[in-house]
Amino acid sequence: MDKKNLFGVDYAIIDYDKASNFIIKMGKRHNSVAVSALAVHGLVTSVLDQELYEKIKKIHLIVPDGQPIKWALNYFYKVGLKDRVYGPELMLHVLKKASIEKLNVFLYGSTEDTLNKLKGFIFKEFSGVNICGMHIDRFRDSTLKEDLEDIKKINNSNANIVLVGRGCPRQEIWVSDHIDKINAPMLAIGAAFDFHAGKVKQAPRFMQDYGLEWLFRLIQEPGRLWKRYFVTNTYFILLVIKKIITKN
C-alpha cells in the first residue's frame, strides 16, 4: 500500500473502493486493524501533541479525509488523488459491502439516542448488516476494569467491524490502544455517527468539494468548533507554507 508522509503522518494513497475492500477483507478474517479518516484537525493536533503522534503512528491505515489533505498530498507528491476519503462516506462504502457479505458490525461511542437512530438508519439502508452490539460513550477515560469489560463485550459479539465515533482525537487514541485487543478492524470515523443518525446536517456538496465543510460546521456549532478550526486550519496553512519555502 503506497503511503506518503505529510507532517509526520503516513497517509495511504487510496480511494473509497480500495479502502473499503481492505476493511472488509480484514473484517472477514477478524484481524485487529486500526483505521482513521484523519482530517486537518487530527493531523495538526498530532503535530502539536507528541503523545498523540505516537498513538497515530501505530494506526495501520490512515486515509486522507479532507480536501486540504488531498490537495497537499497532490501538490507535494504528485499522487493524483481524485477525491479525498471522507470518513462518513467511507462508512457508507464499508456498510454497503458489509451488507452484501452479511457481516456483524459493532457501534462504539456517542450517545444512546444517536446510536439508536444510527442503528435504524443502517437497518433501513443496509439490511444485510447485523448490528451485533452497541456501546454508549462514557465521555471520559475508561477504568482498566471497564476497558477489559468493553473488549470482552465487543469480542464476544463476534464483530467483523467496529465503527468508532468518539470525536477526534479520542477515537484515534482508542483504536490505537486496542490494536491486538479487539478482534476486528476498528474505524475512527469522526462525525459520521451524528451525520447518518440525522443529528447533525452535512455541508452541501459544493462546500465539501471546495474544502469549506469546516465553515458550514462552524456556523452550526460556533461555540464548540471556533477554536478547533481557526487554530488548526491556520497552523496547517503555516505548515504548508513552511514546507514550500524550505522544500523539506
Side-chain angles (χ1 to χ4, degrees):
M1 187 180 296
D2 186 20
K3 295 183 179 182
K4 301 297 182 185
N5 190 281
L6 187 62
F7 311 129
V9 171
D10 289 327
Y11 279 94
I13 306 306
I14 202 166
D15 58 21
Y16 288 112
D17 190 51
K18 290 179 180 178
S20 55
N21 282 344
F22 171 79
I23 293 163
I24 295 296
K25 181 180 179 180
M26 295 298 102
K28 290 170 71 175
R29 295 176 177 178
H30 286 282
N31 287 355
S32 187
V33 173
V35 180
S36 170
L38 200 67
V40 167
H41 169 61
L43 172 58
V44 170
T45 305
S46 75
V47 172
L48 299 174
D49 185 334
Q50 182 65 29
E51 186 176 351
L52 175 62
Y53 171 71
E54 295 299 329
K55 302 282 188 183
I56 286 178
K57 275 205 311 183
K58 298 177 183 178
I59 296 175
H60 302 94
L61 176 63
I62 300 176
V63 300
D65 184 327
Q67 296 292 359
I69 301 294
K70 182 198 77 173
W71 294 334
L73 289 169
N74 282 342
Y75 180 82
F76 291 119
Y77 295 108
K78 315 301 180 190
V79 291
L81 284 171
K82 295 181 180 179
D83 198 1
R84 61 178 177 166
V85 182
Y86 180 45
E89 184 67 23
L90 176 61
M91 176 177 162
L92 298 181
H93 281 259
V94 170
L95 287 172
K96 181 178 180 180
K97 293 175 181 179
S99 181
I100 294 170
E101 299 286 347
K102 309 295 184 185
L103 299 185
N104 298 325
V105 174
F106 193 101
L107 307 178
Y108 191 95
S110 199
T111 65
E112 182 176 9
D113 182 58
T114 297
L115 289 183
N116 285 331
K117 286 183 168 62
L118 180 59
K119 182 179 179 180
F121 166 80
I122 294 172
F123 179 77
K124 178 182 177 182
E125 300 294 331
F126 306 99
S127 59
V129 169
N130 174 42
I131 301 300
C132 60
M134 303 191 301
H135 183 82
I136 302 165
D137 204 326
R138 297 183 179 91
F139 297 100
R140 60 168 173 80
D141 291 336
S142 302
T143 65
L144 177 58
K145 180 181 177 182
E146 288 170 339
D147 189 50
L148 291 173
E149 289 172 351
D150 292 349
I151 293 168
K152 183 177 180 181
K153 178 181 178 181
I154 295 169
N155 287 337
N156 284 349
S157 75
N158 198 35
N160 298 103
I161 296 165
V162 181
L163 301 178
V164 184
R166 306 192 73 204
C168 180
R170 293 172 65 241
Q171 60 195 6
E172 277 71 28
I173 294 170
W174 193 89
V175 301
S176 177
D177 285 346
H178 289 79
I179 294 170
D180 295 329
K181 297 178 182 178
I182 298 296
N183 303 325
M186 301 163 282
L187 281 64
I189 45 177
F193 280 23
D194 286 333
F195 290 153
H196 298 317
K199 301 280 286 187
V200 177
K201 189 176 180 180
Q202 285 186 271
R205 184 68 192 188
F206 80 91
M207 294 188 78
Q208 295 186 37
D209 291 342
Y210 285 97
L212 295 173
E213 185 179 17
W214 66 271
L215 178 59
F216 184 84
R217 293 193 65 196
L218 179 61
I219 292 170
Q220 288 185 305
E221 301 179 83
R224 187 174 74 87
L225 297 176
W226 75 267
K227 186 175 182 180
R228 171 195 290 194
Y229 289 129
F230 281 122
V231 172
T232 57
N233 287 8
T234 301
Y235 200 88
F236 179 77
I237 292 169
L238 293 175
L239 288 172
V240 170
I241 293 171
K242 179 182 177 182
K243 187 173 177 66
I244 291 171
I245 293 173
T246 62
K247 298 181 180 179
N248 184 16

